[in-house]
Amino acid sequence: MNIFENGEHRTDQMKTPRCILLWCAALVLMGFLLNGCSLWHWVFPPEKEAEKGPTLLLSDGMDAMDRGYYQEAIDAFQQITDRYPYSREALTAELKLADAYFARRLFEEAFGAYGDFEKLHPNHPEIPYVIYRMGLCHYERMTSIDRDQEYTLKAKEHFERLISRFPDSPYAQSAKLKVRDCYESLAGHELYVGNFYYKTGRYGAAAGRYEYLIQNYPDLGQYHEALTNLSKSREKLADAPPADETAEPVKKKPAWWNLPARLFD
């Protein structure tokens, strides 16, 4: 190898690491351009955003409620009750949290929130509203007459409690209408079950249901049908053998006419 060839070989060796350095620099520059903000924030982390106070959170929650963003409202009101439980905004947030749950049709959560408010503030002026909404939490989940009437009974209980405790409340009149709806649903359920027993040949059980309906719900639309079907059931029982084991005992509850008259004013 002559001196010129040796010089060219050395030059190639020097170019190789230089090329590698240039490629590395290019890759670093590209990464910086693609992730500029992230890299900058990694090197120079921004200051943490200051936590919102209860007044601003309450304003955010109310605004979210007005716009129909109920989950956002729930989050805002929940932050107030969690972070600032002793602030003057906390009481409003507790009630609005229940309203937001209700608006989102989370009735179990709403009922619990209204119940907590009543326990914590039993003498608050909004208690009639709270009891009414507790009744609505069950009323909105009432099922058809062919299903269990658990929510109907619970709704009736809270509406009657409101009427009894706060008869002059503006919510009492609406509660009376809701109570009548509950009774109509309960009467319809008794008639449905009685008709089912009658169709399946259990005339004694059917008669028991019809008698209960007549005794407890005489002023509702099912009354006359129940009377007719009771007569038919008794005729079937008269034609049956003396021992009838299908009879269902009549349930003992306060008669319809013994209920407070103010329920139907």
Side-chain angles (χ1 to χ4, degrees):
M1 179 181 296
N2 58 39
I3 187 171
F4 297 105
E5 291 176 346
N6 187 41
E8 290 177 0
H9 179 68
R10 288 182 179 179
T11 302
D12 291 340
Q13 286 180 333
M14 293 174 65
K15 287 181 179 179
T16 301
R18 186 179 300 173
C19 290
I20 293 173
L21 289 174
L22 288 174
W23 273 108
C24 290
L27 289 173
V28 170
L29 179 61
M30 186 179 296
F32 180 80
L33 292 174
L34 292 175
N35 302 283
C37 293
S38 299
L39 183 60
W40 180 267
H41 290 160
W42 180 74
V43 178
F44 304 102
E47 294 182 2
K48 286 186 177 181
E49 183 181 351
E51 287 188 355
K52 293 181 178 180
T55 302
L56 185 55
L57 284 171
L58 184 62
S59 177
D60 289 349
M62 299 295 285
D63 181 62
M65 284 284 285
D66 291 340
R67 292 182 292 120
Y69 298 151
Y70 301 124
Q71 187 57 53
E72 287 186 17
I74 290 170
D75 294 340
F77 297 139
Q78 189 70 65
Q79 287 184 63
I80 296 174
T81 59
D82 291 344
R83 296 180 185 175
Y84 311 101
Y86 303 110
S87 65
R88 63 181 180 179
E89 292 84 1
L91 191 146
T92 301
E94 290 172 11
L95 187 54
K96 291 301 179 182
L97 176 61
D99 288 342
Y101 279 133
F102 187 93
R104 199 165 176 237
R105 302 189 68 79
L106 299 173
F107 298 121
E108 195 68 35
E109 291 82 352
F111 181 83
Y114 286 126
D116 289 343
F117 186 92
E118 183 182 14
K119 292 175 183 176
L120 292 172
H121 317 287
N123 299 316
H124 193 276
E126 292 292 342
I127 290 301
Y129 168 79
V130 168
I131 297 175
Y132 179 71
R133 298 285 279 194
M134 291 174 76
L136 285 181
C137 287
H138 295 308
Y139 183 86
E140 290 293 331
R141 290 184 286 178
M142 283 169 52
T143 54
S144 56
I145 59 173
D146 60 325
R147 301 297 181 88
D148 183 76
Q149 298 297 295
E150 175 188 3
Y151 291 121
T152 307
L153 291 167
K154 289 181 178 180
K156 181 177 74 70
E157 175 187 346
H158 287 286
F159 291 138
E160 289 178 339
R161 182 163 70 94
L162 168 62
I163 295 165
S164 176
R165 287 186 59 189
F166 305 99
D168 298 325
S169 165
Y171 299 103
Q173 189 60 39
S174 179
K176 292 176 184 178
L177 298 176
K178 295 291 191 295
V179 167
R180 187 170 183 87
D181 290 342
C182 293
Y183 275 115
E184 288 179 352
S185 183
L186 293 170
H189 177 71
E190 293 297 327
L191 184 63
Y192 174 85
V193 175
N195 290 343
F196 172 80
Y197 285 149
Y198 184 88
K199 291 175 182 177
T200 55
R202 299 176 62 185
Y203 304 115
R209 291 285 181 161
Y210 296 139
E211 288 174 357
Y212 176 78
L213 191 158
I214 292 166
Q215 291 174 10
N216 292 277
Y217 313 115
D219 296 331
L220 299 176
Q222 299 86 349
Y223 178 77
H224 296 291
E225 184 178 351
L227 275 176
T228 301
N229 292 350
L230 175 60
S231 177
K232 292 180 180 178
S233 298
R234 286 174 174 171
E235 290 176 3
K236 293 289 186 180
L237 288 171
D239 297 335
D244 177 27
E245 298 179 356
T246 64
E248 183 179 84
V250 177
K251 293 180 285 186
K252 299 295 183 182
K253 286 189 178 180
W256 173 266
W257 50 84
N258 288 332
L259 293 171
R262 63 176 179 274
L263 292 179
F264 310 99
D265 291 343

